[in-house]
Structure formats: structure tokens, C-alpha cells
Amino acid sequence: GFWGLVNNAGISTFGETGWLPMETYEKFADVNLLGSIRTTLAFLPLLRKYKGRIVFMSSIIAYFTLGNGIYSMTKAAIERFCDALRLEMKKFGVQVCIIQPGNYARSTKIQPPVSAEEIWNELSEEEKAVYNKEYIQERADFFNSILSEGSTNGNEVVDAMVDALTSPAPKARYMVAKLKEKVLVFVCALFPTVVMDSVLSYALSK
């Protein structure tokens, strides 16, 4: 039989919207979103036949972004794809689960520290006319500080994946995150956008 499928592949990078070329957006959509969809479609007949499980790796970044909007975009899209798939698969006895890790950058190495100099060198002339090196250095320092706070207990995420695959009654979503990360998700999900923007703008200004 075929018991389960885990869509875990993902890549991340840092940069404001105009800093990244279209080719980067296409690459991220291809790996983080379309890659999971391609794999799911390939195994869907077996999953339906054997009433298997499908597990997707999302992120709390699906709810907000602090400098990696391109990654956030793909994770938000995965969430909606899973919502549709979960409802459609119920009649076949196939369960769809989403894992939503917090900051585990130090465990996964998905995002290396960013270099302000490298970012500046790759900017278009139009973007260099808008931003200066000092601003980019500040953003890079801010993002690197977030990376340095990442948890090293990657086994917490693996445990959630195992539960999603083996539990008699798996959860639709497993949020594996620190309390302050969960609070931020709660604010972003339930409060008006103006509140969310104020909270995130304050965080970015710090």
C-alpha cells in the first residue's frame, strides 16, 4: 500500500519586493508551491486507493512577513491549496495536514545569514536610486538577528510530522512555534489589518 506523502521541500531568501528579479519569484513558486502540487498530483491515485495521508510543510510566515515576502507568498498559497485539497479528499478517507513551524532557521539552515553588500551589488540601478546602503544594512542586520533567534530543536517539527502521519485523529494544522510567535499569528489572523500593519511596522522599526 501507500500510506503517506510529505511535501517538505522549500527554499527561502531575504529581500523587499523590488529587490528581487522576476526569475527569483518564478523559482520560488516552482519549488515551494508548484513542486508540492506536482508531487501531490502524481501520488493522488495511490493516496485515494489506500486512504493515505498528505502532509505539507507551511510556516507561520504564511500569516505575515518581516523581510521575506517571497517566502511568505508561497506558504500562504500552500495553505489555500491544502484547504481545498483537505475538503475534497474527505470523501476518499484521505487526510491532509499542514505543519506550521515558527523560526527554526538554526535547525534547518533554510536561510543563511544575509550580506548587505551582496544585496546592494545585485540591486538594479532603479532600486539603488531609491534605497541607500545604510538602509539595506539596517534591514540585513534586522533579518540576521531574527535568524540568530531560531530554535535548534528541529525534532519538534519532525514529531509533528510523525503525528500527522500516524495519529488515528491527526490535526488539520500543527503550529509548532514559540508563544510570542503564536501571539503574532493570532493578531494577524483575527485583528483588523490596520492593527497587524501597526504591529509589524513597529517590529521593523526596532
Side-chain angles (χ1 to χ4, degrees):
F2 190 83
W3 178 248
L5 169 67
V6 178
N7 286 298
N8 184 59
I11 53 177
S12 178
T13 192
F14 166 80
E16 296 194 5
T17 302
W19 299 0
L20 305 171
M22 190 62 205
E23 292 77 13
T24 301
Y25 283 94
E26 292 171 347
K27 178 181 179 180
F28 270 70
D30 191 50
V31 174
N32 292 1
L33 175 60
L34 299 180
S36 292
I37 295 174
R38 278 193 296 266
T39 308
T40 300
L41 293 178
F43 287 101
L44 209 53
L46 284 173
L47 289 161
R48 285 193 296 245
K49 180 179 179 180
Y50 294 105
K51 302 183 187 303
R53 307 277 177 89
I54 315 177
V55 180
F56 289 84
M57 186 60 62
S58 179
S59 170
I60 62 168
I61 295 297
Y63 294 92
F64 61 89
T65 178
L66 287 172
N68 54 347
I70 188 171
Y71 183 70
S72 178
M73 170 193 75
T74 59
K75 293 306 181 181
I78 277 290
E79 293 267 346
R80 299 292 78 79
F81 174 74
C82 291
D83 285 343
L85 185 66
R86 185 177 60 254
L87 293 174
E88 295 166 1
M89 290 298 105
K90 280 183 177 295
K91 57 182 171 287
F92 300 107
V94 176
Q95 304 208 51
V96 178
C97 305
I98 304 173
I99 312 297
Q100 299 173 315
N103 183 1
Y104 283 86
R106 293 171 63 195
S107 298
T108 64
K109 310 298 183 185
I110 190 174
Q111 173 66 65
V114 298
S115 164
E117 189 66 27
E118 290 180 6
I119 294 171
W120 177 260
N121 291 338
E122 293 176 2
L123 288 184
S124 66
E125 293 304 317
E126 291 82 358
E127 295 300 307
K128 287 181 178 179
V130 175
Y131 298 94
N132 55 49
K133 288 186 176 181
E134 290 75 17
Y135 177 83
I136 292 177
Q137 186 66 60
E138 289 175 359
R139 295 297 89 207
D141 291 343
F142 170 78
F143 195 67
N144 285 334
S145 70
I146 293 177
L147 295 178
S148 68
E149 296 174 358
S151 174
T152 58
N153 297 323
N155 58 290
E156 297 169 345
V157 181
V158 175
D159 289 344
M161 296 165 70
V162 171
D163 191 82
L165 287 169
T166 61
S167 171
K171 301 176 184 178
R173 282 178 167 83
Y174 291 79
M175 186 173 293
V176 190
K178 298 175 183 176
L179 178 60
K180 66 178 182 179
E181 294 172 329
K182 292 180 178 179
V183 170
L184 185 54
V185 169
F186 177 82
V187 171
C188 292
L190 299 181
F191 281 65
T193 300
V194 64
V195 175
M196 177 189 74
D197 287 352
S198 297
V199 171
L200 296 178
S201 295
Y202 176 77
L204 286 167
S205 69
K206 303 300 286 184

